[in-house]
Amino acid sequence: MDLYDIAVIGAGPCGSVLSMLLAKQGYKIAVIDKRNLDCLPPTRSKACGGLLSPDAQRVLASLELNLPNNVLVDPQLFSVVTIDLETGLQRHYQRFYLNMDREKFDRYLVSLIPDNVVRLFSTMVKDISSDSSGYQIFTDDNKSLKTKIIIGCDGAGSIVRKKMFNDLKMNVKNYYAIQHVYEYSKYNSNYYAIFDKNLTDYSGWAFPKNGTFSIGMAFKQESEGNSFFDILIEKLEKKGMKLGKLIKKEGALLLRPCGIPKVYAKKDNTAFLAGEAAGYISPSSAEGFSFAFNSACALAEAFKKGGNISKNYCKLTLKLRIKLILKIIKARLMYNQYVRKIIMALKINAIR
Ligand SMILES: Cc1cc2nc3c(=O)[nH]c(=O)nc-3n(C[C@H](O)[C@H](O)[C@H](O)COP(=O)(O)OP(=O)(O)OC[C@H]3O[C@@H](n4cnc5c(N)ncnc54)[C@H](O)[C@@H]3O)c2cc1C
C-alpha cells in the first residue's frame, strides 16, 4: 500500500494551491479528487458564478500567478445592478470582478501542481480510518492508501470534516444554491444582485457568461427552494427580464458562516481543514475563492514554520477569521430590509 506524508482531499481552488505550495517543502504528497481533472470532457463540475474578486486577485498576485486568457470569458463586468424585488428599488454599483470559466480556472490551478505530487483523479474518498501510525483512506475504486497527515480541502460537504472533526460543531447555516443556465439574450447583459426577503434571507444573482445567462439564488436548506426559485423567475420576467431557452439546472450546498469561525486542526498536527470545508466563505456575498486561497496559504506557511503546525495555522488564519466576523456583521446589515432600503434610497456608493 502506498504511504504518503500528506494526502490532500480535493483539488478545487484550495486543494490545488495548497498542494502546489506544500510540494515545494519536500513532502511526499497525494492529491485526490473525484473529478476527472486530468482529462476531457469534464464529467462533474461545481455550480459556481466563476467571478474572481479583487481579494482573490490579490492572493493570486502575491503568489505571482497570472491568468491565461482562455480562463476568462465574455463579457467582463464592471458594474452590478442591485435589485430589491420587494421595494422595487434598483441601483448600479461599480465592481472589479473577473468573469471566468470555473471549470477552466480549476484545471489551470491543477496544472500548476508540480509533477512530484501524485494526482489521483476520478477517485472519490468513501471512508477514512485512523490508527497510531496515521490515516487509511478508502476510495470508490476499492483501493486504499496510507498517509501520516490528512488535509480536507473537499468543499462544503467535506468527508474529512465528517470523519475527523465530527465533535467540533460548525458555526454555519446550511443553504442550497440553485442556478439555472439559459441561452443568452441580448437584453440581459448586466450582472445583477437580487434581494427578496419573501424568498430568501440570502442573495440571488444573475449574469451573462460565454453566450449563456445564469440566474441563481441560495435558500435555507430546509426551505422550499425549488418553489421559491420558480417564483423568482416569474418575478424577474414580470420585471422585464427576457430569458432564452433553459440549458442547464445545477445546485450546490453552501455553508454560510453565522458565528465565531473555527480552526479545524488536530492538536497532534495530523489532520486539518481549509477552504470551504472549514466554512471559510463570505456570508455576505458567497465569495469563496479568496478564503480558499488565503487558508491554503496560511496552512502551507504553518507547515513551513514547523513545530506546532496546528498552533501556527490558528495564528495565521486569525486575520481571515476576523474578516469573516466583520462580513457576518456586514451581512446582517445588508440583508436587513430597512437598512438596505435606506442605503439604496440615499444612493450611497451608487454610480446610478
Ligand atoms: C452557486 C455558487 C456560486 C458561487 N460563485 C462564486 C463566485 O462567483 N466567486 C467566488 O469567489 N466564489 C463563489 N462561490 C463559492 C466558491 O465556489 C467556493 O467557496 C470555492 O469553490 C471553495 O473552494 P474549495 O477549494 O474550498 O472547495 P471546492 O471548490 O468545493 O472544491 C472541493 C473539491 O473537493 C472534491 N471533493 C469533494 N468531496 C470529495 C471526496 N469525497 N472525494 C474526492 N474529492 C472530493 C470536489 O470534487 C472539488 O473538486 C460560489 C458557490 C456556489 C455554491
Side-chain angles (χ1 to χ4, degrees):
M1 193 189 303
D2 294 325
L3 173 65
Y4 294 92
D5 295 324
I6 302 175
V8 176
I9 317 301
C14 181
S16 293
V17 167
L18 182 61
S19 302
M20 183 185 92
L21 296 172
L22 287 176
K24 291 179 189 158
Q25 299 178 31
Y27 292 104
K28 185 177 175 192
I29 303 171
V31 57
I32 307 173
D33 202 294
K34 59 188 176 189
R35 294 158 66 192
N36 63 336
L37 290 160
D38 50 353
C39 59
L40 288 165
T43 48
R44 293 169 190 262
S45 56
K46 158 117 187 170
C48 183
L51 300 176
L52 194 72
S53 69
D55 282 352
Q57 292 171 36
R58 191 172 308 121
V59 195
L60 292 184
S62 74
L63 294 170
E64 294 183 16
L65 295 180
N66 298 308
L67 282 187
N69 260 339
N70 75 332
V71 166
L72 298 178
V73 291
D74 268 0
Q76 290 308 316
L77 307 157
F78 297 129
S79 74
V80 59
V81 183
T82 299
I83 312 175
D84 189 324
L85 288 175
E86 245 210 336
T87 58
L89 284 174
Q90 188 164 312
R91 291 284 176 265
H92 291 238
Y93 300 92
Q94 191 173 10
R95 280 294 175 272
F96 301 94
Y97 288 106
L98 290 177
N99 197 2
M100 307 185 298
D101 179 318
R102 166 72 200 251
E103 183 65 32
K104 286 187 180 161
F105 181 53
D106 282 10
R107 284 167 183 265
Y108 161 66
L109 293 174
V110 162
S111 75
L112 303 173
I113 302 173
D115 289 341
N116 59 340
V117 174
V118 173
R119 298 145 203 247
L120 301 169
F121 293 151
S122 309
T123 303
M124 187 192 285
V125 174
K126 297 288 261 186
D127 203 0
I128 304 161
S129 69
S130 62
D131 61 27
S132 56
S133 64
Y135 299 93
Q136 191 162 354
I137 296 169
F138 301 91
T139 56
D140 60 347
D141 48 5
N142 290 325
K143 291 195 180 131
S144 71
L145 56 118
K146 286 208 84 170
T147 178
K148 292 177 203 158
I149 297 171
I150 190 165
I151 304 178
C153 299
D154 46 346
S158 170
I159 187 170
V160 182
R161 189 179 66 238
K162 284 176 200 150
K163 291 283 169 185
M164 299 297 126
F165 295 96
N166 214 3
D167 49 333
L168 204 57
K169 203 183 157 289
M170 288 190 106
N171 280 331
V172 296
K173 282 188 190 144
N174 287 358
Y175 281 72
Y176 195 76
I178 299 175
Q179 188 163 273
H180 286 188
V181 183
Y182 299 85
E183 271 177 6
Y184 181 72
S185 137
K186 66 176 177 183
Y187 302 102
N188 299 325
S189 52
N190 280 322
Y191 169 29
Y192 299 92
I194 305 157
F195 296 91
D196 189 334
K197 87 161 179 21
N198 294 317
L199 303 179
T200 184
D201 62 353
Y202 209 177
S203 69
W205 56 89
F207 50 80
K209 191 180 274 290
N210 217 12
T212 65
F213 188 72
S214 299
I215 301 182
M217 192 167 248
F219 305 94
K220 275 192 183 141
Q221 210 177 26
E222 63 278 10
S223 74
E224 290 288 322
N226 281 312
S227 318
F228 286 143
F229 193 85
D230 291 343
I231 300 172
L232 168 71
I233 299 298
E234 267 173 40
K235 286 189 173 190
L236 291 175
E237 285 184 320
K238 236 185 223 167
K239 231 180 147 14
M241 203 176 264
K242 291 190 177 67
L243 300 176
K245 199 175 134 214
L246 179 64
I247 306 171
K248 190 164 74 171
K249 295 181 177 184
E250 49 192 9
L253 175 65
L254 194 58
L255 305 178
R256 187 181 194 188
C258 61
I260 308 282
K262 295 197 171 136
V263 180
Y264 293 83
K266 290 271 181 212
K267 281 202 178 100
D268 62 1
N269 301 319
T270 62
F272 303 88
L273 296 181
E276 203 179 336
Y280 298 153
I281 176 169
S282 165
S284 52
S285 65
E287 189 278 321
F289 294 143
S290 71
F291 291 95
F293 296 147
N294 275 319
S295 56
C297 291
L299 190 49
E301 187 59 28
F303 271 85
K304 203 172 173 184
K305 277 184 177 251
N308 191 335
I309 300 166
S310 297
K311 217 171 165 185
N312 299 342
Y313 187 42
C314 192
K315 273 191 199 153
L316 291 160
T317 48
L318 183 64
K319 216 167 135 191
L320 178 154
R321 286 178 287 125
I322 292 172
K323 190 169 164 191
L324 274 178
I325 293 170
L326 296 175
K327 289 214 177 262
I328 291 171
I329 298 166
K330 179 180 172 189
R332 295 224 169 117
L333 295 173
M334 210 172 125
Y335 290 95
N336 179 302
Q337 194 200 0
Y338 302 105
V339 177
R340 190 172 58 246
K341 197 173 167 183
I342 293 168
I343 292 173
M344 288 179 81
L346 294 177
K347 300 182 185 170
I348 295 169
N349 279 340
I351 50 173
R352 259 171 64 196

